[in-house]
Amino acid sequence: MSELRLEKLKVAHLDSVDLVVKAAEIVCLSGQSGAGKSLLLRSIADIIPHGGLVYLDDCSSLECTAPQWRKQVGLLPAESQWWLDSVGSHFTEVDEALFERLGLSAGALQWQVSRCSTGEKQRLAILRLLANKPKCLLLDEPTGSLDPENTKRVERLIKQIAVEGNIPVLWVSHSEEQIERIADRHVVVRDGGLFTA
Amino acid sequence: MNNTVIPLTPLDLAIAAGLVVLLALLTWRLRLGMSGRVLIAGARTVVQLLLLGIVLKYLFDTRHLALIALIAFVMLAVAGREVMARQQRPFKGVWGYGLGTMSMFISSFAITVFALNFIVGPEPWYLPQYAIPLLGMMLGNTMTGVALTLDHLTQNAWQQRAIIEQRLMLGEDWHSAIRDISRQSLRTGLIPIVNAMAAAGIISIPGMMTGQVLAGSSPMDAAKYQILIMFMITAGTGFAAVLSSWLGARRLFDERQRLRLERLQPPNGAA
């Protein structure tokens, strides 16, 4: 039973945030820019200093090394980064079926990163993240740069992965329609706290 | 001692100084805005080197170990300041000064002491005629290597913040997340000295060898000393650069392996 639990998380102006995302549950986060959505996700992944505790499966982030923790709580930043020339050299494992689910083929691994469009990079970044087999997903506007068709593909894939893998998902989204389609619960980040929408 | 050096009179130096004044006039005419700096730097050369001459003369006469150690540490302290001044984003607090200074200390002092004891072998081993110039040349070059390494490391960590964080997010440890940057910074720090070794004697006649020949040493002796110095400097610069890039990279991350760029000062020391 995988469950993501935040206890009194403190970062910047976010004060004492408590939140539970149950296994297979998709919780959408929205809120004005600067409200602290990304900061919240970054704290959960322990990329930035923060107060409070984060648990996954009743296991606190402090009980394992930071790299182990970050592999388990997969964080997808709003803008993906690529540091090697070819797409493939960023991947350790490749699941071709997943590539096809996002409208790509394994041939994409031969591509040069510099020639990929923003949308291609975004979908590849999702695949790269999933290759780590995370036990929880933190997605910062994962479909922000995608066309409607690919947006639907990502939504279907994540939803299926959440259900089949019993994976809790925190999904930052600005689109009401998208939240309507995917969210089991909708939480708004406002005035330094979380509010149920 | 086959001392054939021709002593220079104050008039000789005044004539040489005239050339620098001429250059200052030229830069003033060309509106480069640096004639003042040329003159001040020239004046500093005169004062600093004459002072050095006085200090060394006293040191050579007394051969006092504590005094030699004191001078050595003053040299190290000044080199440490220089390393910090040459970085655009040094670390905040004691690390800014300590990191480069510590790397230089470990590397330069260890290699100088080693060379004095096991290679050159003067009696006593800290004979200032050997110890001080050797250490000075070590520090002067190590300083450049460490400053270049640290400057490259911190600048690039700053610019590539998003990439380092992305790699951390994907579960890489700090060492692997900054590996490319620290390798490149090390390369940057080592290039000048490797180039100097390759060019020695063909493109440039190194200052020390020039000095020894002018002072009457045989060219072969001077060459051998220059080779020794080159190797010492290269090893010293290399070890100090490796050490500083490792310490610097380590300091960029905290105990939870988060990138902590706020540990760097803003550029140009602006608040």
Side-chain angles (χ1 to χ4, degrees):
Chain A
M1 181 71 178
S2 201
E3 178 182 273
L4 177 71
R5 195 167 84 244
L6 318 186
E7 267 180 21
K8 301 193 171 21
L9 195 88
K10 266 185 208 212
V11 61
H13 54 282
L14 291 178
D15 194 18
S16 220
V17 170
D18 292 302
L19 178 72
V20 176
V21 185
K22 293 198 285 284
E25 185 184 29
I26 298 184
V27 173
C28 275
L29 280 178
S30 66
Q32 291 180 337
S33 57
K37 304 179 297 289
S38 299
L39 282 178
L40 186 65
L41 297 195
R42 287 161 64 83
S43 318
I44 298 173
D46 209 5
I47 286 286
I48 51 172
H50 58 85
L53 290 169
V54 184
Y55 296 88
L56 186 64
D57 283 339
D58 288 321
C59 180
S60 142
S61 62
L62 301 174
E63 286 169 49
C64 52
T65 69
Q68 283 167 349
W69 175 258
R70 289 175 193 138
K71 270 195 176 170
Q72 290 176 24
V73 294
L75 168 59
L76 182 81
E79 197 181 325
S80 67
Q81 299 294 329
W82 304 81
W83 55 95
L84 299 168
D85 290 346
S86 84
V87 170
S89 24
H90 295 83
F91 281 79
T92 43
E93 265 177 67
V94 177
D95 183 344
E96 284 193 41
L98 288 182
F99 274 69
E100 279 156 27
R101 293 287 305 275
L102 291 188
L104 296 162
S105 74
L109 292 170
Q110 315 301 325
W111 292 353
Q112 294 295 302
V113 172
S114 53
R115 302 180 65 172
C116 293
S117 71
T118 323
E120 283 165 347
K121 274 192 224 164
Q122 184 66 11
R123 282 179 288 153
L124 288 165
I126 294 172
L127 294 168
R128 179 176 64 178
L129 182 69
L130 293 176
N132 268 344
K133 309 234 177 324
K135 292 188 189 165
C136 141
L137 285 173
L138 310 169
L139 309 175
D140 198 348
E141 299 188 53
T143 60
S145 54
L146 299 184
D147 55 43
E149 189 190 347
N150 280 315
T151 299
K152 295 269 167 57
R153 281 178 173 149
V154 169
E155 289 173 3
R156 278 198 297 269
L157 178 65
I158 298 294
K159 199 140 198 172
Q160 187 194 338
I161 285 173
V163 172
E164 286 176 1
N166 264 332
I167 284 175
V169 180
L170 253 182
W171 184 316
V172 173
S173 177
H174 286 299
S175 147
E176 285 298 330
E177 298 86 47
Q178 179 169 61
I179 295 171
E180 194 86 335
R181 285 195 299 269
I182 54 165
D184 297 307
R185 204 143 52 90
H186 178 196
V187 172
V188 179
V189 186
R190 171 164 33 93
D191 305 326
L194 302 188
F195 299 88
T196 304
Chain B
M1 205 54 178
N2 145 35
N3 196 345
T4 58
V5 70
I6 306 162
L8 295 173
T9 63
L11 180 65
D12 297 334
L13 294 181
I15 295 169
L19 294 173
V20 176
V21 172
L22 216 59
L23 173 72
L25 278 173
L26 183 66
T27 58
W28 176 72
R29 277 289 301 175
L30 294 172
R31 297 172 203 281
L32 298 184
M34 59 181 302
S35 44
R37 268 165 63 191
V38 171
L39 290 177
I40 290 171
R44 279 185 62 165
T45 299
V46 174
V47 175
Q48 286 166 197
L49 290 182
L50 286 181
L51 275 176
L52 178 69
I54 294 169
V55 171
L56 287 184
K57 184 171 174 351
Y58 180 71
L59 208 58
F60 290 181
D61 292 344
T62 56
R63 297 185 186 179
H64 202 295
L65 179 59
L67 195 61
I68 296 167
L70 176 72
I71 302 271
F73 277 99
V74 170
M75 286 160 67
L76 175 69
V78 177
R81 272 223 67 81
E82 187 64 25
V83 164
M84 194 167 146
R86 288 191 198 174
Q87 293 172 63
Q88 295 189 66
R89 299 176 189 272
F91 285 94
K92 282 182 187 162
V94 66
W95 289 88
Y97 184 74
L99 216 141
T101 312
M102 180 56 84
S103 309
M104 284 192 296
F105 171 68
I106 294 175
S107 167
S108 300
F109 278 52
I111 289 191
T112 307
V113 170
F114 173 82
L116 285 172
N117 277 295
F118 299 105
I119 303 179
V120 185
E123 204 45 61
W125 66 269
Y126 52 83
L127 193 69
Q129 280 89 329
Y130 288 87
I132 295 295
L134 283 186
L135 184 67
M137 277 183 287
M138 286 296 289
L139 281 175
N141 287 277
T142 310
M143 182 176 84
T144 308
V146 169
L148 283 172
T149 302
L150 282 175
D151 188 46
H152 193 280
L153 178 78
T154 50
Q155 276 290 92
N156 279 275
W158 184 277
Q159 280 158 11
Q160 299 184 35
R161 158 184 222 146
I163 286 178
I164 299 173
E165 288 189 337
Q166 171 82 77
R167 297 179 73 155
L168 291 174
M169 284 172 203
L170 288 169
E172 290 188 25
D173 59 20
W174 69 271
H175 205 263
S176 148
I178 198 155
R179 181 177 294 140
D180 297 338
I181 294 175
S182 46
R183 271 198 198 138
Q184 194 52 48
S185 66
L186 207 47
R187 221 170 274 144
T188 308
L190 288 180
I191 282 172
I193 187 62
V194 174
N195 285 349
M197 268 206 301
I202 298 182
I203 303 163
S204 63
I205 298 182
M208 176 190 139
M209 189 167 162
T210 313
Q212 263 191 302
V213 172
L214 283 181
S217 289
S218 89
M220 276 315 281
D221 276 342
K224 282 188 237 163
Y225 261 95
Q226 190 61 53
I227 292 168
L228 172 72
I229 289 293
M230 276 294 193
F231 288 171
M232 280 173 65
I233 287 173
T234 307
T237 307
F239 295 142
V242 170
L243 200 59
S244 65
S245 100
W246 194 84
L247 290 173
R250 186 80 195 83
R251 177 66 190 158
L252 283 171
F253 296 88
D254 66 12
E255 73 291 348
R256 289 297 293 170
Q257 307 198 22
R258 309 173 186 121
L259 180 64
R260 300 295 291 273
L261 289 177
E262 71 275 16
R263 288 177 176 174
L264 299 178
Q265 291 177 20
N268 306 326

